Amino acid sequence: MSILRQSGHPVFRIDQTLPIRLIGILLVFISTVAFPQEGTKIPITVHEGTNMAAAVSPDAKTIAVDLQGTIGTVSIEGGEVKLLTDGMGDERQPSWSPDGSKIVFHSYRDGGYHIWTINKDGSDLKQITFGMFDEREPHWSPDGTKIVFSTDRSGNYDIWEMNVATSEFKQLTTDPANDYHPSYASDSKQIAFISVRPKGGVWIINESGEEKLIVPLKGTFNSPAWSPDRKIISFNAFDKGKSHLVLVTVATGELKTISPENEDVFQFRATWLSDKELIYTGDGKIQRKVLDKPVSSIPFTAALTLLKPTYQKRQRDFDSEAPKKVLGVFGPVVSPDGNSIAFTALGDIWLLKQGDPKPAQITKDIAMDIDPEWSHDGKKLAFVSDRNGTNMNIWIRDIQSGSEKQITTLNRHALQPSFSPDGKKIAFILNDGVVGFGTSTLQVIDLETGVSKTLYKALFTPGKPTWSADGKLVALEALQPYSSRFREGLSRILIVPINGDASRFVTPVEGRSLGQRGKSGPLWSPDGHKMAYLLDGVLWVITVDATGQPVGPATRLTNESSDAPSWTGDSQSLVFLATDNLKKVRLSDGMIETIPLSLQWTPKKNHDSYVIYAGKIFDGRSATYQKNMDIVIEGNRIKEIVPHKAGRTGTVIDASDKTVMPGLIEMHTHQNGSAGEMVGRNWLAYGITSVRETGGDPFDALERKESWSSGARIGPREFFTGPLLEGGRIYYELASTVATPLQLDMELKKAAALEYDFIKTYVRFPDYFQKRATAFAHEHGIPVSSHEIYPATAYGVDAVEHMSATSRRGYSPKLTAMNRNYDDVVQILSKSGMNMTATVALYGGFSEKWLADPEVSGNRQLNALYTKEYVSSVSAFIKQMATVRSTDGFDDLEKTLVKMVNAGVRITAGTDSPFITYGLSLQIEMQNFVDAGLTPFQALRSATSYAAEAIGVEKDLGTVEAGKLADLVIVKGDPLKNIKDALSVEVVFKNGIRYDIETLLKR
């Protein structure tokens, strides 16, 4: 390993095939490196914890807690919490050694959940389990000889035991369903645990291995704990939006709920002080309960320090019309002869020929044309387009004649075509749903007969197919989860025989996830002897046999960020994207050459003058209207806002009976090319003139940004990031596994070079990496967002997504199961100034509105732009989910939202579309805000001025003011009185360019 310097920070270069344990050790090592961050330190003192666990010492004098992932201790009488760890390890669920000298817990400090110990005075922090698997929920045996925990070492979560003296492991349960939350009885001979087997519930296993079901599962169970006399087990039960502490008599199975009816009991292990008294956590407090008596609370305080960062945000030029280099070179593929490269840019397919840096545009239409792919003889080019409707279908172009033929006529998106070696078939990905996210099937179509068949079902967002040389096998990158308890896993190579034989996963590196699924491989070489793939952000090849099984060592071909590789027909070279350049690497000697590409785009802006006679103006800041005003637009900006006067120069728009608002900003969406041409008009039709895209292929996002900015397609302003920066395990294809400091450095440099608007880190991204990413981003004027609030706010992360959302913990540190949060969360968010995009519509608000209000599914924009099949499928999905997923507790979510806003938390509106419908979902989100108790003004402000401030463009967007960009919406009605009127869009201006609703709604 060597250490270099860049931008004032260390850059670590390590062998990409290091064992996973050593990578974890290196991750812990970099915790000693300072990543300085300027800002204001803000001390806070909290007196409540959200989803906080507690454990009482054997002498019943001290309580260990895991407040916001930091282990601390406090007297059982209450008082100030002494923090033992530094908050950077996400330490959770403490348990004491029986002699009271140590605390055991699970920690994410090395990039995976492992078991750690620390002395009660905070000394001797020590890791005691290692490897690629997660270990959670440790409990120390009363005799001191063993620690029990749950782990996914065997392919699902089972109960394992570690001998403290020898560190030897023993697997205790082997059921294929998940077993977790183990707890020793006082004799150390029995263990209670939770299982989700077909007969799930609270189970007991004894030292002979005999298992017994004690309480059948109803709802969700968590964290059993034995009374000292071993006659009773307490556990947490969550059902129908309520969380309770329940006791079960072991001998009879008799149940008794001992927590108050509306108490928000946290899901962690209680500690029994005697056979009649226990301590647990709930309602943000440490609760003490004597059976048959009211509960009392143990008061505590804890001191935390936040950082409000100070940095110069990147300045954007929204006015220049100077030509710009095209960076959105999406999906480049080299021809078999190596002389041409096809790619998507500005909405069309282009062909770059050797010797000429200026590519030729070979498709020229308003449709979205993506995913080019060469036939093996180089005579044909397959691609995907929505030119014949709202869905993506496969087309083939004859290179010599230029003729084109539609190959599929499917009502779902057909994507990522790949020719068989003989040119007679195409393998492709077919979305199961009507949007480009979710599960897909691997299909193959016979080009002569037009008949397609399914090769593999229910793949979650897989990568592009690739064929074996003999045409008998198809390989693609697919997700293989570690267990069904948590969704994350590894992106590996799936080999699928086309004759229906069994498929199998292979990988060049065990325990490691390959590059971002999509266009990053694997790629079978035309001669069938090699596979190319991405790992740790760089390009590798490995020798394989005819079945795709790796049979030789891997060779690293690049030392820079690499994307979208493709083979030349002689299997001797690969073309790839190197951030903002196309490059070619030769296998024989490793020589890399840059391929010249000269393609530019020009920003489109208005050159006319408009005068909007506005009856009412909502300016984005004030809760009252300006009335009877003229908004004078020249070019792309508002020149002035003055009292109405007839005869002004320019095209007059009479909105005297209407309301003018700032263009809305959707703060959390995900898109990809399969959304097609329509999605841009859809955003504008809902009054949304800016979208913040929170994770994806950066070249795909750049293509969209450049197309919309240049006018190649109609659409809003695009503020984007690249892939979700993720840890060693992954779920979405729009995430990138970052396992090494070197790759993190490459990802950050790519973000700066491609001018990301922000950086998004994801749920298994370690805190030390996130701290480094935040320091780098702020040096370059880029904000950072994640799902985390602490210690993220201790080193200056700017924003957090979702009120709850996916968490590596299996529960949220921001919101409990009963949709409540407490003083720690409220203070962290309000005092740090961190922006939260709430996405309440995602958590049931959209579904409730859809089912209760016929105007939602009957919405004008929705039914004009989307197919009847889409609207029906959304309706059917919502009705189906209503039967299996309770919306109990949504009222509590609304109350929590209002509580946070009233406490000064900055909330913006975003929806995580397309999981709920693009455009419409933001309007429903604002309606949800109002239903919760916010004013229409607060709801509109969250999607205008507050959103612009969170992005860092408040000088240009978010309000209707002189000098601001002319991003405006004219609506019928009075949205400050009735938020639904924000849906009644008549005219939209983006960058001073006028779009009437009729134009936007034309298919």
Side-chain angles (χ1 to χ4, degrees):
M1 181 182 73
S2 62
I3 302 179
L4 307 177
R5 302 292 299 184
Q6 179 174 323
S7 301
H9 296 304
V11 178
F12 298 84
R13 301 196 179 280
I14 66 175
D15 181 352
Q16 304 299 283
T17 58
L18 281 174
I20 200 74
R21 174 175 175 175
L22 186 51
I23 291 174
I25 292 171
L26 286 169
L27 184 57
V28 174
F29 169 71
I30 69 170
S31 69
T32 63
V33 180
F35 300 129
Q37 175 77 280
E38 293 185 1
T40 303
K41 290 187 176 181
I42 303 171
I44 62 171
T45 300
V46 304
H47 65 275
E48 292 177 331
T50 301
N51 275 341
M52 170 185 63
V56 183
S57 61
D59 63 6
K61 293 182 178 180
T62 308
I63 301 174
V65 296
D66 65 357
L67 184 71
Q68 284 297 323
T70 306
I71 301 297
T73 57
V74 64
S75 167
I76 199 167
E77 303 302 324
E80 184 177 355
V81 175
K82 176 187 176 183
L83 299 178
L84 305 183
T85 60
D86 61 6
M88 293 293 289
D90 194 22
E91 290 98 3
R92 303 279 172 173
Q93 301 188 42
S95 170
W96 290 84
S97 62
D99 64 4
S101 66
K102 293 181 180 295
I103 300 168
V104 66
F105 50 89
H106 66 240
S107 172
Y108 199 71
R109 189 170 291 265
D110 76 335
Y113 276 118
H114 294 114
I115 310 301
W116 293 61
T117 61
I118 196 169
N119 291 342
K120 66 177 182 179
D121 64 0
S123 62
D124 197 25
L125 178 65
K126 183 184 295 184
Q127 184 174 356
I128 62 173
T129 67
F130 301 87
M132 67 181 71
F133 302 105
D134 280 352
E135 286 100 19
R136 302 174 186 249
E137 306 131 16
H139 192 231
W140 216 310
S141 66
D143 64 13
T145 63
K146 297 165 288 187
I147 294 173
V148 71
F149 54 92
S150 72
T151 177
D152 55 12
R153 287 170 175 251
S154 58
N156 62 289
Y157 270 84
D158 286 305
I159 309 302
W160 287 59
E161 196 173 56
M162 186 184 79
N163 185 297
V164 174
T166 66
S167 297
E168 293 178 336
F169 295 93
K170 179 181 179 182
Q171 185 173 355
L172 302 183
T173 67
T174 59
D175 194 275
N178 292 307
D179 302 330
Y180 46 89
H181 289 169
S183 176
Y184 284 107
S186 58
D187 60 3
S188 299
K189 295 180 180 180
Q190 301 177 88
I191 296 169
F193 62 93
I194 302 298
S195 182
V196 291
R197 306 170 187 189
K199 292 184 178 180
V202 180
W203 284 71
I204 292 174
I205 184 170
N206 64 23
E207 59 184 346
S208 300
E210 297 171 336
E211 297 178 355
K212 182 181 179 181
L213 176 65
I214 301 300
V215 185
L217 184 65
K218 182 182 179 182
T220 302
F221 288 175
N222 297 290
S223 304
W226 296 80
S227 63
D229 62 8
R230 303 187 297 280
K231 293 181 179 180
I232 296 174
I233 294 174
S234 65
F235 64 97
N236 166 253
F238 179 79
D239 190 35
K240 296 182 179 178
K242 299 293 184 180
S243 186
H244 298 293
L245 185 63
V246 180
L247 305 184
V248 57
T249 302
V250 174
T252 66
E254 180 184 356
L255 298 175
K256 181 180 181 180
T257 298
I258 63 169
S259 57
E261 171 61 25
N262 201 41
E263 185 178 22
D264 185 11
V265 178
F266 299 165
Q267 59 182 268
F268 310 110
R269 188 187 299 123
T271 301
W272 289 79
L273 300 181
S274 69
D275 294 333
K276 298 293 185 180
E277 185 177 10
L278 42 67
I279 282 178
Y280 64 97
T281 54
D283 281 352
K285 301 175 175 64
I286 303 171
Q287 306 284 52
R288 189 165 187 165
K289 173 70 176 178
V290 177
L291 301 188
D292 300 322
K293 292 185 178 181
V295 68
S296 61
S297 300
I298 299 172
F300 71 89
T301 61
L304 303 175
T305 300
L306 314 177
L307 181 74
K308 182 172 282 189
T310 302
Y311 64 97
Q312 181 63 47
K313 293 184 179 178
R314 192 179 81 221
Q315 299 301 302
R316 296 169 175 85
D317 183 356
F318 291 111
D319 298 303
S320 173
E321 293 181 272
K324 300 183 180 183
K325 176 182 177 180
V326 166
L327 296 175
V329 177
F330 181 44
V333 285
V334 64
S335 60
D337 62 10
N339 293 329
S340 300
I341 298 171
F343 61 90
T344 292
L346 304 174
D348 288 304
I349 307 295
W350 299 73
L351 202 61
L352 178 66
K353 295 187 177 181
Q354 186 176 24
D356 186 353
K358 294 184 178 181
Q361 186 176 356
I362 63 170
T363 67
K364 297 180 182 181
D365 52 44
I366 197 64
M368 184 69 198
D369 302 331
I370 59 172
D371 295 352
E373 176 69 5
W374 293 94
S375 61
H376 285 242
D377 60 10
K379 295 180 179 180
K380 296 182 176 63
L381 193 72
F383 63 95
V384 169
S385 178
D386 62 349
R387 59 180 60 175
N388 272 13
T390 57
N391 294 301
M392 288 290 183
N393 275 288
I394 298 172
W395 293 67
I396 290 181
R397 179 185 179 92
D398 184 279
I399 294 298
Q400 184 173 359
S401 69
S403 62
E404 294 177 346
K405 180 182 179 182
Q406 186 173 351
I407 301 303
T408 62
T409 54
L410 300 164
N411 58 8
R412 289 171 288 150
H413 297 311
L415 304 167
Q416 307 274 31
S418 177
F419 278 100
S420 62
D422 61 9
K424 295 181 179 180
K425 301 181 184 67
I426 286 179
F428 64 97
I429 301 299
L430 180 64
N431 287 143
D432 289 338
V434 289
V435 297
F437 293 87
T439 59
S440 302
T441 60
L442 173 63
Q443 302 276 329
V444 63
I445 184 170
D446 186 300
L447 295 179
E448 183 177 343
T449 65
V451 175
S452 61
K453 69 174 182 178
T454 300
L455 295 186
Y456 201 101
K457 290 184 178 180
L459 289 163
F460 183 74
T461 57
K464 181 178 180 177
T466 183
W467 290 80
S468 61
D470 60 11
K472 296 180 179 180
L473 304 170
V474 175
L476 71 167
E477 193 174 346
L479 174 68
Q480 186 177 35
Y482 271 83
S483 75
S484 58
R485 184 182 178 195
F486 297 98
R487 67 187 191 179
E488 290 82 15
L490 301 179
S491 293
R492 306 181 75 201
I493 300 171
L494 178 65
I495 307 290
V496 183
I498 66 167
N499 65 1
D501 287 350
S503 302
R504 70 189 193 285
F505 279 100
V506 301
T507 184
V509 185
E510 285 297 334
R512 303 294 307 282
S513 195
L514 301 185
Q516 184 181 1
R517 299 194 304 275
K519 300 182 186 303
S520 65
L523 289 164
W524 225 315
S525 61
D527 63 12
H529 298 318
K530 305 177 191 69
M531 271 195 188
Y533 59 93
L534 297 183
L535 177 69
D536 297 333
V538 296
L539 181 58
W540 297 71
V541 294
I542 194 167
T543 303
V544 296
D545 63 19
T547 71
Q549 185 68 36
V551 294
T555 301
R556 176 174 172 163
L557 298 180
T558 62
N559 293 304
E560 61 186 324
S561 181
S562 307
D563 292 280
S566 61
W567 285 101
T568 55
D570 59 7
S571 302
Q572 296 302 305
S573 300
L574 285 148
V575 169
F576 64 98
L577 272 170
T579 304
D580 53 354
N581 285 295
L582 281 169
K583 293 189 177 182
K584 184 177 182 179
V585 58
R586 197 163 57 208
L587 268 62
S588 59
D589 57 8
M591 180 66 69
I592 295 178
E593 62 177 293
T594 298
I595 301 170
L597 171 61
S598 178
L599 183 60
Q600 295 181 320
W601 65 278
T602 302
K604 181 179 180 180
K605 59 189 285 189
N606 171 55
H607 291 281
D608 297 323
S609 296
Y610 289 95
V611 178
I612 303 175
Y613 171 23
K616 296 186 288 290
I617 299 174
F618 167 62
D619 65 6
R621 296 191 193 280
S622 174
T624 59
Y625 292 119
Q626 300 175 52
K627 296 185 177 180
N628 295 314
M629 304 294 285
D630 286 341
I631 303 171
V632 181
I633 299 172
E634 289 193 1
N636 64 332
R637 291 190 179 267
I638 299 171
K639 180 183 179 182
E640 58 183 354
I641 302 174
V642 291
H644 172 63
K645 185 177 74 174
R648 296 188 190 277
T649 301
T651 302
V652 176
I653 300 174
D654 185 359
S656 57
D657 59 345
K658 298 179 176 65
T659 301
V660 181
M661 311 187 306
L664 301 177
I665 301 174
E666 161 65 272
M667 281 291 287
H668 190 119
T669 186
H670 297 281
Q671 303 174 89
N672 60 33
S674 69
E677 179 275 333
M678 178 274 290
V679 72
R681 289 183 290 111
N682 178 79
W683 290 122
L684 296 178
Y686 283 104
I688 298 164
T689 57
S690 293
V691 295
R692 176 174 172 264
E693 187 171 341
T694 49
D697 183 321
F699 303 100
D700 180 17
L702 275 163
E703 187 283 326
R704 201 158 27 255
K705 182 171 188 169
E706 292 168 353
S707 288
W708 288 342
S709 296
S710 67
R713 296 197 307 278
I714 296 173
R717 296 181 190 275
E718 166 91 355
F719 298 98
F720 80 105
T721 187
L724 307 172
L725 297 185
E726 184 59 296
R729 299 187 182 191
I730 202 166
Y731 181 64
Y732 289 109
E733 94 290 351
L734 45 79
S736 179
T737 293
V738 180
T740 71
L742 172 62
Q743 186 187 358
L744 175 59
D745 181 68
M746 290 190 297
E747 291 284 356
L748 296 175
K749 287 193 292 185
K750 184 197 297 186
L754 297 180
E755 297 188 346
Y756 290 8
D757 293 292
F758 64 106
I759 286 174
K760 170 83 177 289
T761 69
Y762 209 50
V763 296
R764 288 188 67 101
F765 199 62
D767 286 308
Y768 294 119
F769 276 3
Q770 188 183 51
K771 185 176 181 181
R772 161 64 176 140
T774 303
F776 179 97
H778 288 176
E779 286 179 354
H780 292 79
I782 307 171
V784 177
S785 185
S786 72
H787 283 197
E788 305 297 322
I789 61 169
Y790 194 83
T793 47
Y795 47 77
V797 172
D798 304 85
V800 63
E801 309 302 314
H802 314 292
M803 287 180 66
S804 178
T806 307
S807 165
R808 59 180 173 249
R809 303 158 195 89
Y811 55 91
S812 171
K814 299 176 291 189
L815 200 70
T816 68
M818 288 181 66
N819 287 330
R820 302 175 187 175
N821 59 26
Y822 298 93
D823 182 58
D824 57 339
V825 171
V826 173
Q827 282 208 60
I828 286 169
L829 289 170
S830 62
K831 298 293 178 61
S832 69
M834 174 179 267
N835 186 80
M836 171 179 273
T837 300
T839 65
V840 296
L842 180 68
Y843 300 125
F846 186 82
S847 298
E848 282 200 348
K849 282 287 187 183
W850 185 284
L851 293 172
D853 186 352
E855 291 182 4
V856 176
S857 59
N859 167 253
R860 175 188 182 187
Q861 292 97 316
L862 178 73
N863 288 278
L865 290 168
Y866 287 92
T867 63
K868 290 182 179 179
E869 182 199 16
Y870 174 83
V871 177
S872 297
S873 69
V874 171
S875 187
F877 177 76
I878 288 173
K879 290 176 181 177
Q880 177 189 7
M881 293 307 296
T883 65
V884 299
R885 182 185 298 170
S886 171
T887 57
D888 293 333
F890 187 70
D891 288 347
D892 283 310
L893 184 73
E894 292 178 319
K895 291 174 184 176
T896 300
L897 172 74
V898 174
K899 178 184 76 172
M900 289 195 296
V901 171
N902 290 340
V905 178
R906 182 62 66 94
I907 300 288
T908 51
T911 66
D912 217 359
S913 54
F915 300 105
I916 49 180
T917 304
Y918 287 129
L920 176 61
S921 57
L922 186 71
Q923 292 278 352
I924 298 302
E925 175 94 347
M926 294 192 298
Q927 293 180 26
N928 292 153
F929 283 8
V930 174
D931 290 344
L934 300 183
T935 65
F937 163 64
Q938 289 173 308
L940 288 166
R941 183 176 58 180
S942 75
T944 53
S945 58
Y946 277 7
E949 290 171 18
I951 294 172
V953 291
E954 66 272 18
K955 292 180 180 179
D956 296 287
L957 293 169
T959 60
V960 182
E961 295 180 84
K964 292 289 185 78
L965 291 165
D967 284 21
L968 305 168
V969 186
I970 302 174
V971 300
K972 293 189 294 186
D974 186 348
L976 284 179
K977 182 178 180 180
N978 182 1
I979 191 63
K980 287 185 177 182
D981 287 346
L983 258 172
S984 299
V985 176
E986 292 289 303
V987 180
V988 178
F989 280 83
K990 188 207 89 173
N991 211 33
I993 302 169
R994 175 181 175 173
Y995 300 95
D996 294 334
I997 189 67
E998 291 79 11
T999 300
L1000 295 172
L1001 296 184
K1002 287 180 182 177
R1003 287 194 182 178

